[in-house]
Amino acid sequence: MSNPFKTVASSNISISELMLPSHTNFSGKIHGGYILSLLDQIAFACASKFSGNYCVTASVDTVNFLNPIEVGELVTMKASVNYVGKSSMIIGIRVESENIQTGKIKHCNSSYFTMVSKDKDGTNARVPGLILSNLEEVRRFCNCLKQIALKKEQDRHEENFNYSATETLASLQKYNVQVALD
């Protein structure tokens, strides 16, 4: 690779799509599963553009559905690389919908996908380093560092936590749950 570093801006990608009646759920709003499919597509495109390789989704770290999307609205998704590791990237995606009659824009979703770069043989491929060009990009990168640390701490907790301990089972009584073990 000739340039071992790339700017966040070099990863920027956006897509827009008009929401049709065929995209709705039973309540008449745009189905969250349809939006998730679009999110995965733009995460792939963003990661592949930045890395120059085929990329796969390793995890969907956060998906916050903030506002419903209506039929007839124009949905725009904006994605960029927020963090890079050796072969992985965290892609941040912002989803906005626009009422094309009134021009009103609302923030509908924020999502973070971890994507992994693959070479032709399907093994992990190194990604370029990331050039942070402004404080907003630094903030996003630092937030990813926190997100990674929280994930590691959660994994450690899962490994070490004793779910069958008498104290643990007794502490569940304060919740709306009944433990009925065989």
Side-chain angles (χ1 to χ4, degrees):
M1 186 176 303
S2 61
N3 184 3
F5 287 86
K6 287 185 171 180
T7 63
V8 171
S10 73
S11 75
N12 290 350
I13 193 164
S14 66
I15 59 172
S16 295
E17 185 171 330
L18 184 65
M19 294 295 105
L20 302 174
S22 61
H23 302 141
T24 59
N25 59 23
F26 292 110
S27 68
K29 307 297 182 194
I30 300 305
H31 194 283
Y34 183 72
I35 298 302
L36 284 170
S37 175
L38 293 176
L39 288 167
D40 193 48
Q41 289 175 42
I42 195 169
F44 168 82
C46 179
S48 296
K49 178 183 177 186
F50 182 80
S51 69
N53 292 311
Y54 178 77
C55 293
V56 297
T57 305
S59 67
V60 179
D61 303 312
T62 306
V63 178
N64 293 318
F65 291 99
L66 305 171
N67 287 297
I69 300 171
E70 308 291 337
V71 171
E73 290 184 329
L74 182 66
V75 168
T76 300
M77 296 185 177
K78 300 172 186 174
S80 64
V81 173
N82 289 354
Y83 167 88
V84 296
K86 291 181 187 123
S87 61
S88 65
M89 298 155 278
I90 297 178
I91 310 301
I93 308 166
R94 180 181 174 95
V95 179
E96 295 176 337
S97 69
E98 178 181 0
N99 180 315
I100 55 178
Q101 293 173 329
T102 66
K104 183 180 178 197
I105 296 174
K106 61 185 174 185
H107 180 199
C108 297
N109 185 301
S110 289
S111 301
Y112 299 91
F113 280 57
T114 298
M115 306 297 288
V116 177
S117 175
K118 299 289 185 176
D119 64 17
K120 290 180 176 121
D121 300 323
T123 57
N124 291 359
R126 194 154 191 76
V127 298
L130 192 61
I131 298 170
L132 305 175
S133 303
N134 58 55
L135 289 177
E136 179 64 15
E137 293 171 359
V138 171
R139 182 190 68 78
R140 290 177 181 164
F141 186 88
C142 289
N143 282 343
C144 289
L145 293 174
K146 289 185 217 171
Q147 184 178 356
I148 292 165
L150 286 171
K151 206 176 198 184
K152 286 180 181 175
E153 181 58 34
Q154 184 178 6
D155 289 346
R156 264 194 298 278
H157 177 74
E158 288 283 328
E159 291 172 7
N160 298 328
F161 190 74
N162 183 353
Y163 293 95
S164 62
T166 305
E167 302 84 35
T168 302
L169 295 172
S171 73
L172 298 178
Q173 293 176 358
K174 65 182 175 184
Y175 299 100
N176 188 20
V177 64
Q178 185 179 44
V179 178
L181 303 174
D182 292 334

Coordinates of all heavy atoms in Angstrom, one line a residue, residues 4 42 90 94 157:
P4 N 0.2 4.6 3.8 CA -0.2 3.8 5.0 C -1.3 4.5 5.8 O -1.8 3.9 6.8 CB 1.0 3.6 5.8 CG 1.9 4.7 5.4 CD 1.5 5.1 4.0
I42 N -24.3 0.3 3.7 CA -23.5 1.5 3.7 C -22.2 1.2 4.5 O -21.1 1.7 4.2 CB -24.2 2.7 4.1 CG1 -23.4 4.0 3.7 CG2 -24.6 2.7 5.5 CD1 -24.1 5.3 3.8
I90 N -14.3 0.7 12.8 CA -15.6 1.0 13.3 C -16.2 2.1 12.4 O -15.6 3.2 12.3 CB -15.6 1.4 14.8 CG1 -15.1 0.3 15.7 CG2 -17.0 1.9 15.2 CD1 -15.0 0.6 17.2
R94 N -25.0 7.9 10.4 CA -26.1 8.8 10.9 C -27.2 8.6 9.8 O -27.0 8.7 8.6 CB -25.6 10.2 11.0 CG -26.7 11.2 11.4 CD -26.2 12.6 11.5 NE -27.3 13.5 11.8 CZ -27.6 14.0 13.0 NH1 -26.9 13.5 14.1 NH2 -28.6 14.8 13.2
H157 N -16.5 -9.6 32.5 CA -17.6 -9.8 33.4 C -18.3 -11.1 33.1 O -18.6 -11.9 34.0 CB -18.5 -8.6 33.5 CG -19.7 -8.8 34.4 ND1 -19.6 -8.7 35.8 CD2 -21.0 -9.1 34.2 CE1 -20.7 -8.9 36.3 NE2 -21.6 -9.1 35.4

